[in-house]
Amino acid sequence: MKETVRLTMAQALLHFLDNQYLLLDGKETKFVEGIIGIFGHGNVTGIGEAIEREKTGLTFIQGKNEQGMVHTAVAYAKQKARREIFACTTSIGPGALNMVTAAATATVNRIPVLLLPGDNFACRQPDPVSQQLEVPNDYTISAVDAFRPVSRYWDRISRPEQLMSAALQAMRVLTDPAETGAVTLALPQDVQTEVYDYPVEFLRKRIHVIDRRPPAKDAIERAAALIAGKQRPLIIAGGGVHYSGATAELLAFAEAFGIPVAETQAGKSAISWKHPLGMGGVGVTGTATANRLAREADVIIGVGTRYNDFTTASKSAFGENTSFVNLNVNGQDVVKQGGVSVAADAREGLAALRAALLDRAYRSGYDAAELAGLKADWDQEVERLFTMDLQEGLAQTRALGVINRYLGEEDIVLLASGSLPGDMHRLWRTERPGTYHAEYGFSCMGYEVSGALGAALAEPDRHVYAVLGDGGYLMLHSELVTSLQENRKITLLLFDNHGYQCIHSLQRSQGSDGFVNEFRRRDAAGGGLTGAYLPIDFAAHARSMGAKAYTATTAEELQEALIQAKQEPCTTLIDIKVVPGSHTDGYDSWWRVGVPEVSSSPKVVEAHQAMRQRIERARPL
């Protein structure tokens, strides 16, 4: 007979997670670092009691907001290049549902995170329990079913022995370079505590081997033949370059053939801003240089990119006759733009494609002086924006310039929402891979503070700076307290521009007069939110929770605050008061939004007509 051990389902789950390892390029890594959780009646006496009593190597972190703690886990896995993860546990009902937004954030960005929400009693004896949904036409549906569309894998463990097959399927998805994302295992609260004689084999150390997917020879030949006939290729480096660990191979490929490199938000930092072939961000939030090269390119070589609408400027960034070569491990991404598909690991694919092009003695048609001139023009524009003086106060771009010059090469900046990702994608100068951490697949407001904690957990010996707006901070800042509890310092650079200025600008650019996107008092006379700006002291708020805090209204005050913040031993916030609307605008780019065809405002109708004209010039595929 096989050797077994009698455990509750929750106990077995913990021991299983503690024994999962990843093997990539001969390096073995413990895959599950720990669990972040908030306890309620649906998990406290099940998985909560197991965490309390069972001796494992899993770290437990107490969350403060369910969405926030999953963002922390997502950022941790992203900063670890998807080699390590945290699991997250909650009760049923609102505790579980609070994780849905963050689950979607993980899935959209292809970041592994394991979600363990409590669920209704499988036996149904006490139904309906507190926080239980009762769907009259389907009693099997619970709140946790809301995770189905935002999970890469979803399962409900309604019997303790089901854990074995479900756990293996969960690990299959979590460790898959192409299909990873949020994995949800719904855990009915009674089943968590039920016992089963689990085979020891299930609980032993398990190594998940990631074999780098090589490209098919014919695919490489097709791609090389296409590129060899082109003079103005452009590489677009996406997040897959980082997850594959392919930054060195990307650089070698670009240098071998003199091909300039543009970056997506997830791909930024793949190449140093100082490198002659580094052209910066591309698309809606891109540089004038990269967008010009994209428009004139005869072939785009997309490496590890999803080609979302910000990267492609709603499919208007490229010429009508531009060809595409798509190198991606994900089958969904590799067929986009109707390009030549190379389904492979980014590092392996670049190496094979480089060899094939060297055999053809290929070289791009760019003149080095042309690329140097384009870079010099953009560097001049960045310097203008970094040194901009406004009579009204501190410009957002000036503040970013002060910060960018102060931070060290190894310091990590993290961002997600508002106007700051646009400014930073265009202007921020990175020198080392892995120092620019952008969640822009979902651009989830509230990711920033929680994500900074995740990055700090992943990189305890480096300074982590969250760059966020006042709207993002107000949306979700709970894990600031967790950073203090865990003694993991993060520095929050809070740009206070009195509201949702990014959307305010977009709104006005399409004919609106500007409607309730600023943080203003309600006007007693007119009744609208058009009164004075709300005077919020974010530094005082951070101090009230135990953090250190400073306020900066000038470039000089910001410089001094940065110096002081770096010396502080714990989480620190700098409240940076900037002039509303002092962010950058698009450079030779366009972004499609829905604009009403009929409106009482002539400005809106005019904006609709302009939008229709741009749509007609965009690529349909």
Side-chain angles (χ1 to χ4, degrees), residues 538-612:
F538 290 103
H541 183 265
R543 289 190 198 102
S544 74
M545 292 186 287
K548 302 295 183 180
Y550 300 86
T551 299
T553 59
T554 66
E556 293 74 21
E557 289 177 354
L558 177 56
Q559 175 72 27
E560 181 59 28
L562 288 166
I563 294 171
Q564 296 297 322
K566 184 160 276 192
Q567 296 172 356
E568 296 289 1
C570 65
T571 289
T572 304
L573 181 145
I574 304 178
D575 184 0
I576 309 167
K577 305 296 187 183
V578 296
V579 175
S582 59
H583 51 274
T584 59
D585 203 352
Y587 286 83
D588 298 321
S589 67
W590 169 72
W591 190 44
R592 181 175 177 177
V593 294
V595 183
E597 186 172 357
V598 177
S599 173
S600 60
S601 169
K603 294 187 298 181
V604 173
V605 174
E606 182 179 344
H608 171 82
Q609 293 170 346
M611 185 68 65
R612 290 302 315 170

Side-chain angles (χ1 to χ4, degrees), residues 110-181:
R110 286 80 184 272
I111 304 295
V113 63
L114 176 59
L115 308 178
L116 305 171
D119 202 359
N120 298 347
F121 276 83
C123 71
R124 301 189 184 178
Q125 180 274 322
D127 289 0
V129 298
S130 174
Q131 301 178 340
Q132 178 177 336
L133 292 181
E134 288 189 281
V135 179
N137 65 320
D138 188 347
Y139 207 75
T140 66
I141 293 175
S142 77
V144 182
D145 284 271
F147 287 88
R148 289 178 184 266
V150 296
S151 298
R152 285 291 187 182
Y153 179 79
W154 187 99
D155 205 344
R156 173 175 282 123
I157 316 301
S158 56
R159 291 176 59 89
E161 60 266 37
Q162 292 175 353
L163 173 66
M164 292 183 286
S165 61
L168 292 176
Q169 291 297 325
M171 287 300 140
R172 171 185 63 81
V173 175
L174 289 167
T175 60
D176 190 321
E179 300 299 332
T180 195

Side-chain angles (χ1 to χ4, degrees), residues 500-520:
Y500 310 123
Q501 295 296 343
C502 177
I503 296 301
H504 189 58
S505 294
L506 173 64
Q507 185 182 43
R508 289 180 296 165
S509 72
Q510 303 305 318
S512 171
D513 295 324
F515 179 68
V516 296
N517 271 311
E518 295 187 296
F519 296 155
R520 294 180 178 272

Side-chain angles (χ1 to χ4, degrees), residues 38-59:
I38 297 176
F39 294 127
H41 70 91
N43 67 340
V44 68
T45 57
I47 193 170
E49 196 277 339
I51 293 171
E52 178 185 3
R53 304 293 183 188
E54 294 298 300
K55 296 186 185 305
T56 70
L58 299 172
T59 300

Side-chain angles (χ1 to χ4, degrees), residues 303-619:
V303 185
T305 175
R306 296 192 306 127
Y307 286 119
N308 76 358
D309 62 341
F310 267 79
T311 297
T312 69
S314 298
K315 299 183 180 177
S316 72
F318 315 113
E320 184 178 349
N321 298 315
T322 303
S323 300
F324 291 82
V325 170
N326 301 331
L327 171 54
N328 204 301
V329 74
N330 187 291
Q332 185 176 13
D333 295 331
V334 82
V335 301
K336 292 176 180 176
Q337 305 295 325
V340 172
S341 299
V342 182
D345 170 80
R347 197 181 79 177
E348 298 298 303
L350 284 168
L353 190 55
R354 178 161 64 104
L357 289 172
L358 286 172
D359 286 345
R360 288 170 165 79
Y362 175 71
R363 186 76 184 175
S364 76
Y366 291 106
D367 184 280
E370 176 195 2
L371 297 179
L374 289 172
K375 278 184 65 69
D377 289 345
W378 182 249
D379 288 344
Q380 185 176 359
E381 173 67 355
V382 173
E383 287 300 322
R384 181 186 73 82
L385 293 166
F386 273 1
T387 57
M388 178 185 293
D389 281 322
L390 298 178
Q391 288 186 343
E392 309 96 296
L394 181 61
Q396 181 164 296
T397 59
R398 176 71 184 276
L400 285 174
V402 172
I403 296 165
N404 202 173
R405 290 190 173 98
Y406 177 76
L407 266 58
E409 291 182 7
E410 297 294 334
D411 293 342
I412 298 167
V413 292
L414 183 144
L415 55 143
S417 63
S419 60
L420 286 162
D423 284 357
M424 294 190 68
H425 195 207
R426 294 185 186 103
L427 309 179
W428 194 261
R429 292 165 166 172
T430 60
E431 295 192 38
R432 302 289 179 87
T435 57
Y436 184 91
H437 181 128
E439 188 289 287
Y440 213 59
F442 217 45
S443 188
C444 187
M445 290 184 69
Y447 177 87
E448 296 94 339
V449 176
S450 305
L453 172 58
L457 290 168
E459 305 273 10
D461 298 324
R462 297 167 71 180
H463 292 283
V464 177
Y465 292 83
V467 184
L468 72 162
D470 48 336
Y473 181 82
L474 290 172
M475 188 76 70
L476 185 58
H477 52 258
S478 310
E479 304 318 311
L480 183 157
V481 175
T482 310
S483 74
L484 296 168
Q485 186 177 31
E486 291 294 324
N487 196 28
R488 285 288 189 267
K489 178 186 176 181
I490 56 178
T491 303
L492 309 179
L493 305 176
L494 191 156
F495 284 65
D496 181 6
N497 59 12
H498 301 294
Y500 310 123
Q501 295 296 343
C502 177
I503 296 301
H504 189 58
S505 294
L506 173 64
Q507 185 182 43
R508 289 180 296 165
S509 72
Q510 303 305 318
S512 171
D513 295 324
F515 179 68
V516 296
N517 271 311
E518 295 187 296
F519 296 155
R520 294 180 178 272
R521 295 186 185 278
R522 188 169 297 281
D523 181 67
L529 294 175
T530 55
Y533 285 127
L534 293 172
I536 304 173
D537 188 341
F538 290 103
H541 183 265
R543 289 190 198 102
S544 74
M545 292 186 287
K548 302 295 183 180
Y550 300 86
T551 299
T553 59
T554 66
E556 293 74 21
E557 289 177 354
L558 177 56
Q559 175 72 27
E560 181 59 28
L562 288 166
I563 294 171
Q564 296 297 322
K566 184 160 276 192
Q567 296 172 356
E568 296 289 1
C570 65
T571 289
T572 304
L573 181 145
I574 304 178
D575 184 0
I576 309 167
K577 305 296 187 183
V578 296
V579 175
S582 59
H583 51 274
T584 59
D585 203 352
Y587 286 83
D588 298 321
S589 67
W590 169 72
W591 190 44
R592 181 175 177 177
V593 294
V595 183
E597 186 172 357
V598 177
S599 173
S600 60
S601 169
K603 294 187 298 181
V604 173
V605 174
E606 182 179 344
H608 171 82
Q609 293 170 346
M611 185 68 65
R612 290 302 315 170
Q613 293 173 2
R614 294 300 300 264
I615 292 170
E616 291 173 3
R617 297 198 298 269
R619 297 168 65 96

